């Protein structure tokens, strides 16, 4: 149950509907936006959320998914049900484009791994397209929406004959036109034209009787008449009869195709419904990206455990450039309601953010139960409520004789009747609109009954008795919108666990209300209430001071712990290194002593054996000295070579002129100057041309330029197979996803082939985005003198995302 009927307007969900409609590609998705309804069906909510989350991944990371031709063909399918009815060429063309989009969506999902996008695959499960029907549509309707010549042998024959007759007719009229020009009956700047579907020649009005024929029309001034010479009556009649025959044959073909289509209408209806759902889910995913939304943990029971929740409309408002320039940002809301603390009483000063907090809770909960992703931290937990009641603003009515307070009491009556353990109620400015003492008492009694019902809720109030009641009653908890008591500025942060002060006297003093008036007000209020408000204010200031000190102590403590850990690790490392060095030294000393003792013993033995021969003694002493020099001399420590610095470009200090080789300062890109324009230079870097300020360029030698770009072998010229080019050429070019220089290269090649093959009209698909690629392509195409005009495609076939180029 929802209360009141204007709940969506009060919460702002009607604006979200409009934003979703704007995100849809076609009326198919917009119809689904109108069907959004609040539900307490947990499995359905879970499915809707996961479908949107999967599509969010597609929008962010999968550029291959079809993004155009979501065409509404429901009317065409309804018309096709009627026996004997034939759809038009345009109807079949739109149906063909829509079914191609459906097929592309199904193909995209089928190609993905089994565990990817399971909920979207489930949505596509019942959809199946008859391939023979698709083939028939493609064989009969071309890419311009006309029946192909090859649709039937008779149509091919008729169109061939029409072309032949028109050529003969044009020859006859050209001859008559030439003769009339020579006689001065026709101005030189006028030529053949069409009136009433028949080829005619323009003749000066005063000479119209000099050529035998039938006048079909005249100019606005009456100085020129459009005359069909008698000699071509038969040819024009023949062409007209052939056109009638062509029309009859096209109708026969379309009727047969409609009959072929009719048995598949149910399947086609499912396919178009699938396309509508895809458009709708895509719109929800795009909106989720805009508001930075994610999928929280959803439980099938009442629960509010939200972290860093943002009001979606406020978030979008602060994304605008003017808001960013002012440094505005959304202060996120964190709140928890569970079985122990079901009802939150929020107090605090006016303009402190109480109403925004209330609307955020209501709107976000409503969005979740409509199957939309939520702008909060994804590990947040949300529950499902059966009833949602709100009392925001008032429902005063002259017709029903309802005052502001009466409207509030009417809402409270509905709350008390409908509230249960699966209800969420939101009340703004609880108890206001009447004498404060009575209003506070009635509000406390209503709150007591709401608490007994087991309902969950959030209430905004200034009444002290409600704050005291919440502090003493199980199931209720106080909350405050934080306020800077020193500077008297709201912080827009919700703090749960304590009541807030209204700061009425302090705000009055800041505004400039006379001090004697404020002092008399304090006396009239009584010391108990003044001291209560003063105590709350002082506690708020002290809490802020101690919170800052705690943060500072925490930072210093972490720094000290980090430094102690680093010192301990360094000391341990040094001690270990020292022990290792001592152990190595002892090992080496031990080995040296053993070797020295061995040599001394050998020396003594040799001296004894030689009986102290002086020459032999000297040789033995030299051997000992050599051992000392070799074994005990310190090793020379070799310093590691310094790494070579990176080679810089060899610069050329000459002046920069046309043909000079240059490098952009601070970059490795090199190029050649093509032209000089004052303080700017046009240079080529590979296939890319760019205009750069001269003070950013640095001249380099030709050797450096060649080393940087390398010498490439010029390709050989090859012959052109026109038949192959014509078979492989498509008048449709898709450059989405390409960089600017890549896109221009593709467009140039595409345009050259089109000019070579004589195509009168081309389509370039560049996507919408910010319009950068669209403007780049159109600016580039204006350089071609062969271009007659450029325009956006039909809105249902791509709109501003496609440029249609018409040749002169």
């Amino acid at each position: 149950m929802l209360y009141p009927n204007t709940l969506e307007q009060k919460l702002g969900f009607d604006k979200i509907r409009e934003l979703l409609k704007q995100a849809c590609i076609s009326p198919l998705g917009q119809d689904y936006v109108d069907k959004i309804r609040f539900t307490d069906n947990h499995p359905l909510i879970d499915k809707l959320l996961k479908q949107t989350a999967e599509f969010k991944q597609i929008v962010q990371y999968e550029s291959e998914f079809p993004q155009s031709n979501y065409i509404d063909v429901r009317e065409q399918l309804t018309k096709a049900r009627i026996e004997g009815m034939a759809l038009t060429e345009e109807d079949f063309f739109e149906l063909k484009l829509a079914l191609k989009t459906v097929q592309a969506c199904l193909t995209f999902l089928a190609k993905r791994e089994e565990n990817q996008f399971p909920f979207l695959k489930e949505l596509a499960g019942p959809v199946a397209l008859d391939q023979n029907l698709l083939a028939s549509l493609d064989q009969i309707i071309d890419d311009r929406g006309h029946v192909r010549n090859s649709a039937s042998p008779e149509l091919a024959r008729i169109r061939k004959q029409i072309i032949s007759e028109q050529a003969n007719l044009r020859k006859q009229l050209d001859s008559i036109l030439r003769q009339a020009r020579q006689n001065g009956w026709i101005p030189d700047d006028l030529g053949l034209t069409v009136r009433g579907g028949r080829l005619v020649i323009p003749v000066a009005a005063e000479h119209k009787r000099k050529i035998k024929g039938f006048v079909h029309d005249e100019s606005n001034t009456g100085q020129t008449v459009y005359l069909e010479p008698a000699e071509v009556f038969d040819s024009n009649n023949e062409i007209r009869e052939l056109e009638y025959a062509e029309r009859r044959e096209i109708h026969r073909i379309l009727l047969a195709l409609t009959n072929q289509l009719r048995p598949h209408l149910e399947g086609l209806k499912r396919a178009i419904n699938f396309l509508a759902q895809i458009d709708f889910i895509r719109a929800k995913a795009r909106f989720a990206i805009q508001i930075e939304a994610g999928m929280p943990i959803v439980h099938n029971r009442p629960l509010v455990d939200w972290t860093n929740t943002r009001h979606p409309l406020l978030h979008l408002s602060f994304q605008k450039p003017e808001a960013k320039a002012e440094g505005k940002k959304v202060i996120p809301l964190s709140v928890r309601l569970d079985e122990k603390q079901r009802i939150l009483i929020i107090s605090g000063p006016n303009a402190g953010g109480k109403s925004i907090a209330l609307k955020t809770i209501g709107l976000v909960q409503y969005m979740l139960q409509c199957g939309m992703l939520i702008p909060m931290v994804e590990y947040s937990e949300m529950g499902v409520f059966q009833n949602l009641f709100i009392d925001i603003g008032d429902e005063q009515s002259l017709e029903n004789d309802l005052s502001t307070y009466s409207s509030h009491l009417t809402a409270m009556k509905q709350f008390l009747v409908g509230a249960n353990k699966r209800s969420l109620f939101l009340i703004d400015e609880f108890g206001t609109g009447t004498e404060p003492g009575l209003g506070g008492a009635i509000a406390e009694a209503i709150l007591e009954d709401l608490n007994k019902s087991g309902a969950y809720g959030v209430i905004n109030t200034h009444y002290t008795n409600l704050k005291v009641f919440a502090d003493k009653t199980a199931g209720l908890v106080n909350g405050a919108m934080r306020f800077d008591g020193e500077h008297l500025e709201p912080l827009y942060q919700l703090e749960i666990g304590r009541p807030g002060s209204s700061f009425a006297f302090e705000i009055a003093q800041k505004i400039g209300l006379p001090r004697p008036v404020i002092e008399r007000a304090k006396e009239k209020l009584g010391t108990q209430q003044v001291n209560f408000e003063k105590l709350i204010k002082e506690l708020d200031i002290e809490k802020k001071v101690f919170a800052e000190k705690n943060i500072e102590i925490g930072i210093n403590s972490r720094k000290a712990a980090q430094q102690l850990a680093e010192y301990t690790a360094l000391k341990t490392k040094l001690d270990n290194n020292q022990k290792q060095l001592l152990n190595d030294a002892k090992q080496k000393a031990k080995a040296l002593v053993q070797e020295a003792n061995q040599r001394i013993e050998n020396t003594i033995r040799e001296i004894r054996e030689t009986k102290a021969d002086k020459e032999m003694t000297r040789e033995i002493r030299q051997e000992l000295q050599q051992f000392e020099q070799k074994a005990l001399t310190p090793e020379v420590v070799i310093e590691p070579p310094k790494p070579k610095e990176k080679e810089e470009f060899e610069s050329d200090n000459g002046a920069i002129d046309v043909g000079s080789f240059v490098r952009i300062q601070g970059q490795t890109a090199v190029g050649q100057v093509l032209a000089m324009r004052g303080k700017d230079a046009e240079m080529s870097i590979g296939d890319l041309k760019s205009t750069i300020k001269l003070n950013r360029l640095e001249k380099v030698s030709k050797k450096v330029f060649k080393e940087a770009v390398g010498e490439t072998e010029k390709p050989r010229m090859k012959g052109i197979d026109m038949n192959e080019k014509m078979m492989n050429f498509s008048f449709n070019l898709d450059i989405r996803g390409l960089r600017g220089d890549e896109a221009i290269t593709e467009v140039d090649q595409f345009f050259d082939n089109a000019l070579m093959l004589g195509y009168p009209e081309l389509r370039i698909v560049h996507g919408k985005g910010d319009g950068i690629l669209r403007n780049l392509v159109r600016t580039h195409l204006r350089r071609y003198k062969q271009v007659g005009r450029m325009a956006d495609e039909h809105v249902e076939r791509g709109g501003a995302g496609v440029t249609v180029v018409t040749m002169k």
Side-chain angles (χ1 to χ4, degrees):
M1 178 182 174
L2 300 175
Y3 181 85
N5 295 330
T6 57
L7 182 142
E8 286 196 2
Q9 289 74 25
K10 286 179 174 290
L11 292 178
F13 191 78
D14 56 331
K15 295 177 182 176
I16 287 178
R17 279 190 194 270
E18 288 303 315
L19 291 171
L20 285 175
K21 285 186 177 182
Q22 292 172 20
C24 290
I25 299 175
S26 77
L28 291 169
Q30 291 173 354
D31 287 350
Y32 264 93
V33 174
D34 288 332
K35 295 175 184 175
I36 292 177
R37 293 292 181 271
F38 179 89
T39 178
D40 61 347
N41 185 333
H42 178 262
L44 177 60
I45 294 170
D46 188 62
K47 182 195 286 189
L48 294 174
L49 291 174
K50 287 177 178 175
Q51 286 175 349
T52 310
E54 288 178 3
F55 218 113
K56 182 183 170 187
Q57 293 180 21
I58 291 175
V59 172
Q60 288 178 313
Y61 308 115
E62 301 282 356
S63 59
E64 300 173 20
F65 198 86
Q67 299 186 29
S68 60
N69 293 328
Y70 286 69
I71 303 172
D72 185 1
V73 292
R74 291 173 293 185
E75 185 180 343
Q76 288 89 324
L77 296 180
T78 302
K79 190 163 59 173
R81 289 183 181 277
I82 305 170
E83 290 288 341
M85 176 68 74
L87 299 182
T88 65
E89 288 177 294
E90 185 178 358
D91 290 340
F92 275 116
F93 183 54
E94 291 182 344
L95 181 61
K96 173 184 173 180
L97 292 177
L99 293 181
K100 278 192 172 182
T101 304
V102 173
Q103 186 63 53
C105 293
L106 296 175
T107 303
F108 174 89
L109 293 172
K111 285 183 178 179
R112 294 307 178 270
E113 295 180 7
E114 188 176 349
N115 59 348
Q116 265 191 304
F117 314 129
F119 287 87
L120 292 177
K121 287 180 179 177
E122 180 187 352
L123 188 69
V127 181
L129 295 177
D130 186 271
Q131 297 304 314
N132 292 330
L133 177 60
L134 293 178
S136 296
L137 284 171
D138 202 43
Q139 287 168 6
I140 293 173
I141 305 298
D142 65 15
D143 291 338
R144 295 173 182 272
H146 302 301
V147 175
R148 297 181 189 271
N149 293 346
S150 58
S152 76
E154 179 64 13
L155 184 62
R157 182 193 67 77
I158 292 171
R159 286 182 173 175
K160 184 177 180 182
Q161 193 171 349
I162 288 174
I163 292 170
S164 175
E165 289 293 336
Q166 286 176 339
N168 292 334
L169 175 62
R170 190 172 287 277
K171 284 181 183 178
Q172 292 179 47
L173 286 173
D174 282 341
S175 175
I176 296 170
L177 192 65
R178 243 185 341 266
Q179 185 64 40
R181 274 207 186 98
Q182 289 174 1
N183 294 334
W185 302 338
I186 298 174
D188 291 339
D189 59 338
L190 296 179
L192 297 177
T193 186
V194 177
R195 288 292 184 277
R198 302 171 78 91
L199 270 173
V200 296
I201 60 174
V203 180
E206 63 268 21
H207 301 302
K208 65 182 179 181
R209 300 191 183 281
K210 295 179 181 179
I211 301 175
K212 188 178 180 181
F214 180 79
V215 175
H216 285 271
D217 198 3
E218 67 176 8
S219 65
N220 293 333
T221 60
Q223 295 180 358
T224 304
V225 298
Y226 298 96
L227 184 142
E228 180 184 1
E231 296 95 312
V232 299
F233 277 176
D234 292 340
S235 296
N236 261 329
N237 289 338
E238 180 65 23
I239 291 171
R240 180 57 64 89
E241 288 176 6
L242 287 170
E243 287 174 348
Y244 292 153
E246 178 190 24
R247 195 182 307 166
R248 288 193 298 271
E249 180 61 16
I250 288 174
H251 181 268
R252 186 193 66 78
I253 293 168
L254 295 178
L255 183 61
L257 187 56
T258 306
N259 292 335
Q260 183 184 352
L261 176 79
R262 195 168 290 115
H264 303 285
L265 285 176
E266 288 304 317
L268 294 175
K269 187 178 178 181
R270 284 195 297 272
I272 298 306
N273 187 53
F274 167 72
L275 196 63
Q277 288 177 296
I278 288 294
D279 188 20
F280 169 59
I281 298 169
R282 178 181 176 276
K284 290 199 296 180
R286 289 183 61 193
F287 182 71
I289 293 169
Q290 281 184 299
I291 63 173
E292 300 176 16
M295 181 172 172
I297 302 166
V298 183
H299 300 278
N300 191 17
R301 58 184 174 85
L303 176 67
V304 174
D305 188 4
W306 304 354
T307 304
N308 291 347
T309 308
R310 300 178 306 281
H311 192 290
L313 297 176
L314 197 61
H315 176 82
L316 290 177
S317 174
F318 286 177
Q319 292 302 307
K320 295 177 181 177
E322 55 270 22
K324 283 187 175 181
E326 295 174 12
K328 293 182 178 179
K329 61 179 181 179
V330 179
I331 306 297
L333 173 73
S334 296
V335 59
R336 178 177 175 84
L337 300 178
D338 54 25
E339 293 177 355
K340 294 181 180 179
Q341 297 180 342
R342 291 176 289 101
I343 301 176
L344 172 64
I345 309 297
I346 302 178
S347 50
N350 288 320
K354 299 192 301 296
S355 296
I356 289 294
L358 200 71
K359 289 183 178 180
T360 301
I361 294 170
L363 179 57
V364 166
Q365 186 66 43
Y366 193 84
M367 285 173 62
L368 175 87
Q369 294 191 229
C370 288
M372 298 182 66
L373 298 182
I374 305 302
M376 62 172 61
V377 175
E378 291 195 354
Y379 56 76
S380 299
E381 298 182 54
M382 298 186 71
V384 175
F385 293 91
Q386 187 179 34
N387 305 313
L388 180 58
F389 306 133
I390 69 166
D391 181 27
I392 299 173
D394 62 59
E395 295 290 333
Q396 60 177 320
S397 169
L398 293 175
E399 292 81 2
N400 298 325
D401 195 24
L402 279 178
S403 67
T404 299
Y405 189 62
S406 298
S407 70
H408 285 309
L409 289 180
T410 302
M412 293 306 103
K413 174 186 170 184
Q414 294 292 336
F415 287 17
L416 292 172
V417 170
N420 59 32
K421 293 182 178 180
R422 298 204 63 183
S423 299
L424 175 66
F425 62 86
L426 306 171
I427 305 174
D428 194 21
E429 300 297 341
F430 193 29
T432 58
T434 189
E435 196 274 320
L438 297 176
I442 293 174
E444 186 174 336
I446 292 171
L447 179 57
E448 191 173 357
D449 269 19
L450 288 173
N451 186 35
K452 289 177 182 177
S453 72
Y456 289 66
V458 181
I459 295 174
N460 291 344
T461 187
H462 291 284
Y463 287 165
T464 302
N465 66 310
L466 297 183
K467 302 176 193 178
V468 174
F469 180 73
D471 190 54
K472 295 179 178 179
T473 307
L476 277 66
V477 62
N478 273 305
M481 298 307 299
R482 293 192 60 199
F483 194 80
D484 187 343
E486 290 183 280
H487 302 96
L488 297 179
E489 293 177 349
L491 300 176
Y492 305 110
Q493 297 172 353
L494 174 63
E495 183 179 351
I496 296 177
R498 68 170 186 85
S501 169
S502 296
F503 290 91
F505 293 134
E506 290 78 9
I507 293 173
Q509 187 175 345
K510 183 182 179 182
I511 289 173
L513 205 65
R515 181 177 291 275
V517 173
I518 297 173
E519 293 300 328
R520 286 201 305 275
K522 288 181 179 179
E523 290 173 5
K524 292 177 182 296
L525 182 63
T527 56
Q528 183 178 358
Q529 181 66 33
V530 171
N531 290 338
F532 179 76
E533 294 287 335
K534 183 180 178 182
L535 180 62
I536 291 177
K537 175 188 170 184
E538 290 174 352
L539 286 173
D540 194 56
I541 294 172
E542 288 180 7
K543 183 172 183 180
K544 180 183 175 184
V545 171
F546 284 115
E548 291 174 355
K549 288 187 178 295
N550 284 338
I551 292 171
E552 185 179 351
I553 291 169
I555 292 171
N556 292 335
S557 177
R558 284 194 296 273
K559 284 183 179 178
Q562 184 180 359
Q563 290 174 353
L564 178 62
E566 290 174 356
Y567 169 78
T568 304
L570 181 61
K571 185 176 182 302
T572 303
K573 183 178 179 182
L574 290 174
D575 288 346
N576 290 337
N577 288 344
Q578 184 180 15
K579 290 176 182 177
Q580 185 65 41
L581 289 171
L582 287 172
N583 289 339
D584 291 345
K586 287 177 181 179
Q587 287 291 111
K588 290 180 180 179
K590 185 177 179 181
L592 285 172
V593 169
Q594 288 178 350
E595 189 174 351
N597 288 337
Q598 185 65 41
R599 285 183 174 272
I600 290 169
E601 289 175 3
N602 292 341
T603 301
I604 293 170
R605 188 175 61 253
E606 289 176 3
I607 290 172
R608 286 175 180 170
E609 289 175 355
T610 56
K611 296 180 180 178
D613 183 80
K614 289 183 179 180
E615 189 64 29
M616 181 61 72
T617 302
R618 189 165 46 252
E619 289 177 3
I620 292 169
R621 188 176 288 117
Q622 285 177 355
E623 287 180 7
L624 283 173
Q625 289 174 352
Q626 288 173 0
F627 167 72
E628 180 185 358
Q629 292 173 355
K630 182 178 179 182
L632 302 179
T633 302
E635 297 288 340
V636 178
V637 178
I638 301 174
E639 293 289 336
K642 293 183 179 179
K644 293 183 179 180
E645 294 185 358
K646 184 179 177 181
E647 261 190 321
E648 296 290 332
F649 281 93
E650 179 186 343
S651 61
D652 189 336
N653 296 324
I656 297 175
D657 206 346
V658 176
S660 297
F661 301 108
V662 293
R663 176 177 71 91
I664 301 173
Q665 293 179 1
Q667 299 183 21
T668 58
V670 297
Q672 188 172 15
V673 177
L674 302 177
M676 304 289 289
R677 297 190 180 93
K679 295 182 180 180
D680 296 338
E682 183 182 355
M683 63 180 289
S684 65
I685 305 173
D687 293 330
L688 181 67
K689 293 181 181 178
S690 181
T691 301
I692 308 290
K693 294 285 184 186
L694 276 172
N695 58 11
R696 290 189 59 206
L697 298 178
E698 178 177 63
K699 189 173 182 182
V700 297
S701 63
K702 188 174 183 180
K703 177 184 176 183
V704 170
F705 176 82
K706 287 184 177 180
E707 288 174 354
V709 303
E711 292 292 335
T712 57
E713 182 181 346
K714 293 183 179 179
R716 290 182 174 180
M717 295 296 291
K718 294 183 179 180
I720 299 174
D721 188 338
M722 292 295 291
N723 292 331
E724 183 180 353
K725 270 198 174 293
M726 189 168 290
M727 287 173 60
N728 295 330
F729 183 77
S730 169
F731 71 95
N732 191 75
L733 175 66
D734 190 342
I735 57 172
R736 290 174 295 181
L738 299 181
R739 294 195 303 269
D741 54 340
E742 296 173 340
I744 292 302
T745 302
E746 288 290 327
V747 168
D748 283 337
Q749 185 178 353
F750 172 67
F751 204 76
D752 290 343
N753 290 337
L755 289 174
M756 187 186 303
L757 299 174
Y759 271 76
E761 188 175 283
L762 306 171
R763 289 177 85 253
I764 300 176
V765 183
H766 40 63
K768 294 179 183 176
D770 296 327
I772 297 172
L773 191 57
R774 171 179 176 267
N775 294 335
L776 180 66
V777 168
R778 292 194 176 185
T779 302
H780 184 71
L781 287 178
R782 288 191 186 100
R783 301 176 184 175
Y784 285 91
K785 60 183 181 181
Q786 297 89 346
V787 174
R789 63 185 291 270
M790 291 177 282
D792 291 344
E793 179 60 282
H794 188 278
V795 67
E796 292 187 351
R797 294 194 285 274
V802 180
T803 294
V804 178
V805 184
T806 306
M807 302 297 192
K808 289 182 179 177

